[in-house]
Amino acid sequence: MQPGAPSLERLFQWSILGMLGCSYLSILGSGALDLPSLALAGCAIAARAMGTAGLARFQVPDRLANVLTLAYLAFFPIDYLFISGEFLPATIHLVFFLASLIILRAASSRDFFFIKLSSLSLLLAASVLSAGLSFLVWLIAFLVFAIGAQISGEIRTNLEKKPRAVARGWTRGAGRRLAVLSGFVFAGVALLAGGFFFILPRTAEAALRHFTPERFRLPGFSNEVRLGQIGEIRLTSTPVLHARLETDKPLSLKWRGSALGEFDGKRWFNAPEEGRRMISDQGRLRLVPYTQTWRRGLRITGEVQLKNATGDALFFPGSPEVVLIDTGQVIRTSVDGYRMPRGMSRGLRYQFYSVLDTPDPSPYPGALALAAESRALYLRTPNLDPRVAQLARTTTSGARSDLVRARLIEEHLRSRYGYTMELLEREVPDPISHFLFTRKKGHCEYFASAMALMLRSIGIPSRIATGFQSGVFNPISGWYLVRASDAHSWVEAFLEGYGWVTFDPTPPDPALAGTGVFSRVAMYMDAAEVFWQEWIVSYDLERQVLLADRMGQSSRAFTINWAYRWDDVKARGLAIAREIAAWWKIALAAVIWSVAIYFTWPVLVRRWQWFHRDRRLRQGRAEASDATLLYERMLATLGSRGVRKPGWMTPYEFARTVNQPLVTELTGAYHDLRYGCRPAAAAKMVELLGELDRRR
């Protein structure tokens, strides 16, 4: 970089680093990158930041960089075929690796161009992998840094092409001024982007969806869950879905995703199956026969927005009867669960109509009978400890119906056993017997498993259901937020004449959610996330028409009431004017001070700048552009005495015309600093200028 614009160089270096950092953080927020790639890129960015700040310097030799690049290019097919298994993750690994090498060795304009290209590629990958609000934050920051890098980079390139060019005085503070300019350019880009966003709804989601790899998924909503697994899920707080209910008050619900019917002593599972595809009628799909609509219970409607961590399962409260969904088909499983075809549930939205079980269910004529094969499956108890069956018989002795027996077992477990999130320190041979007769405390899948096996031991078919418990109602957005920490399992028992009835033997969790300021902030952040998902990610033609209609209504309302509003504004203005008139002395003093500051501020700033520049020059830290500033200062001093330099006259010609030794020495020092690049001449010019000022 040509000496003369260090602030410009710093702006360029930090802008490039900011672009790469934002793209790195956007990928990090998507959760789609493995730890080695994240660590490698993070260390490279940190090393470059330390070098830019002048704290350390790391350099990779060109020969080593070339060898490593060729080695990774040979490794790329292996990563694609055997490690990542997807094109997009393998490509991201490649880009991260190459970007890390370029970061450490970047020195030329070509290197910085590749860093820009890598940053843009990673940001585009993050746009496919992430649909969260955090991506918007990193996108905005990326645009700000990108504009700064582009503007400063163009100036930097021109200075490199013209090494004899000397920056004029305006380069002092150029980095700060260009940063402000970048902010204004970004504001213009944001306004244009907002206009285009309103006009053009997204249509590329379907085209890009097949590039998205299978990301982190929560277990328990496929065909298998081992005991203790849901307890592990509850240790995380990953958002899994948002839900909105058409009710007058918040409800405590269970969001059912699937059910598991087979148990081998340590895990619940289902045999692999294709499921039955159900085709919707223009987006509307009836899930149950009309005869089952006779079932008693509270019927509710609502909407669900799925996240990316729940696999292909659809979640419903209670027993769903109708669903409105745009995908055209839904797969129903043998355990009355519903899922989407593979790869179609990412960010899915759907509406539902469900019936909730009443606390005291009643038989209904449309209840279906359980097939003999299914009954045998849901009564199977392999290697069951005899004490479990004995406990079930003792608990239900004297009961005259299966419903009462199930209620007695449910109440026994809820009242005699404790809830804990502590996981077992080591694996035990028989987890259910250990829970019932030794530890006597656990979390939901232990309670649900124990009840299901106790019911089976007395001839009642049962299975465990997996999903989420309630969630947190956000009064700001009106939506429920359901996280992985709300994961729950419960029991479904088949009762003749009733069908499948829900039971929950798990006692309440003694841990209470926080209600302090952090909880309130979390609610606002969640409301922002809901707005982002509903009006940004899912912005389509329907929402475009709705938004345009709302704007039209607001415009008409303003047109009708503008006269009343103008009268109100005028009245408020007069009231404010009267208050100001009552304090006219203070207002007059404020005006006088404002005028004084307006005229004296430039002089004060100029003197402050000269003070700092003189101190820097006396310390020998001079640049070629300082010569022009010091020479102009000499001309200003001479001009105040009536001696002015014509524009066509050279500095040496002017010095001979003035015929003063100080002016001649100043002119020689000026040439030494500007054309000879001798920093010591700056201190001499400062000293001579001081003497010239004293000789007035």
Side-chain angles (χ1 to χ4, degrees), residues 72 83 129 137 160 235 256 421 446 509 609 674 694:
Y72 199 92
I83 299 178
L129 295 169
V137 176
E160 286 181 342
L235 297 178
R256 185 184 189 273
M421 284 296 299
Y446 286 96
D509 186 349
Q609 291 175 345
R674 179 172 181 180
R694 289 191 295 270

Side-chain angles (χ1 to χ4, degrees), residues 11-13 15-21 23 95 98-99 102-103 106 108-124 142 145-157:
L11 174 64
F12 177 74
Q13 294 281 351
S15 297
I16 289 291
L17 194 62
M19 289 177 60
L20 193 60
S23 60
V95 173
L98 297 179
I102 297 174
I103 292 168
S108 65
S109 297
R110 184 183 64 177
D111 295 335
F112 290 121
F113 171 76
F114 281 118
I115 291 181
K116 293 178 185 178
L117 187 61
S118 300
S119 302
L120 180 60
S121 301
L122 293 173
L123 189 75
L124 292 176
F142 179 89
F145 284 118
I147 293 172
Q150 193 64 24
I151 295 175
S152 58
E154 287 296 325
I155 301 176
R156 182 180 185 273
T157 302

Side-chain angles (χ1 to χ4, degrees), residues 3 24-25 140 199 220 250 269 291 296 313 333 390 409 428 435 439 462-463 472 482 507 523 526 528 535 597 599 681:
Y24 171 79
L25 292 172
I140 292 175
I199 297 172
F269 62 96
T291 55
R296 291 179 53 191
T333 65
Q390 179 60 39
I409 294 176
V428 295
F435 164 71
R439 197 182 189 204
S462 58
R463 62 192 182 192
V472 178
V482 180
M523 291 295 183
D526 177 66
W535 288 100
I597 291 174
F599 286 104

Side-chain angles (χ1 to χ4, degrees), residues 409-553:
I409 294 176
E410 177 187 43
E411 180 59 29
H412 175 80
L413 293 174
R414 289 178 65 91
S415 59
R416 304 290 182 89
Y417 293 81
Y419 185 91
T420 180
M421 284 296 299
E422 296 179 5
L423 303 178
L424 293 175
E425 297 180 358
R426 62 183 182 277
E427 188 175 351
V428 295
D430 191 341
I432 299 303
S433 296
H434 182 267
F435 164 71
L436 286 174
F437 306 110
T438 303
R439 197 182 189 204
K440 295 190 176 181
K441 61 180 180 179
H443 36 82
C444 57
E445 70 263 44
Y446 286 96
F447 285 92
S449 300
M451 180 175 179
L453 294 177
M454 290 173 70
L455 288 173
R456 291 185 178 190
S457 68
I458 58 175
I460 301 178
S462 58
R463 62 192 182 192
I464 68 167
T466 56
F468 298 95
Q469 175 80 331
S470 188
V472 178
F473 179 72
N474 189 341
I476 301 171
S477 64
W479 288 67
Y480 287 84
L481 169 62
V482 180
R483 299 182 179 272
S485 54
D486 298 313
H488 191 54
S489 61
W490 58 94
V491 177
E492 293 177 344
F494 189 86
L495 307 178
E496 296 294 339
Y498 297 85
W500 289 101
V501 180
T502 298
F503 299 91
D504 192 352
T506 306
D509 186 349
L512 298 177
T515 57
V517 63
F518 292 105
S519 177
R520 188 71 176 175
V521 171
M523 291 295 183
Y524 279 105
M525 294 178 64
D526 177 66
E529 175 73 20
V530 170
F531 177 83
W532 169 258
Q533 292 290 339
E534 185 171 6
W535 288 100
I536 306 299
V537 176
S538 301
Y539 183 74
D540 53 13
L541 182 60
E542 179 181 355
R543 285 176 172 77
Q544 183 185 28
V545 173
L546 177 61
L547 184 59
D549 181 66
R550 290 182 179 178
M551 294 179 65
Q553 292 178 3

Side-chain angles (χ1 to χ4, degrees), residues 17 20 41 44-45 48 58 98-106 115:
L17 194 62
L20 193 60
I45 293 174
R48 185 71 188 189
F58 303 89
L98 297 179
S100 300
L101 286 179
I102 297 174
I103 292 168
L104 295 177
R105 62 184 297 272
I115 291 181

Side-chain angles (χ1 to χ4, degrees), residues 7-8 169-178:
S7 61
L8 180 68
W170 65 269
T171 58
R172 182 68 54 200
R176 182 175 61 255
R177 298 179 184 180
L178 288 179

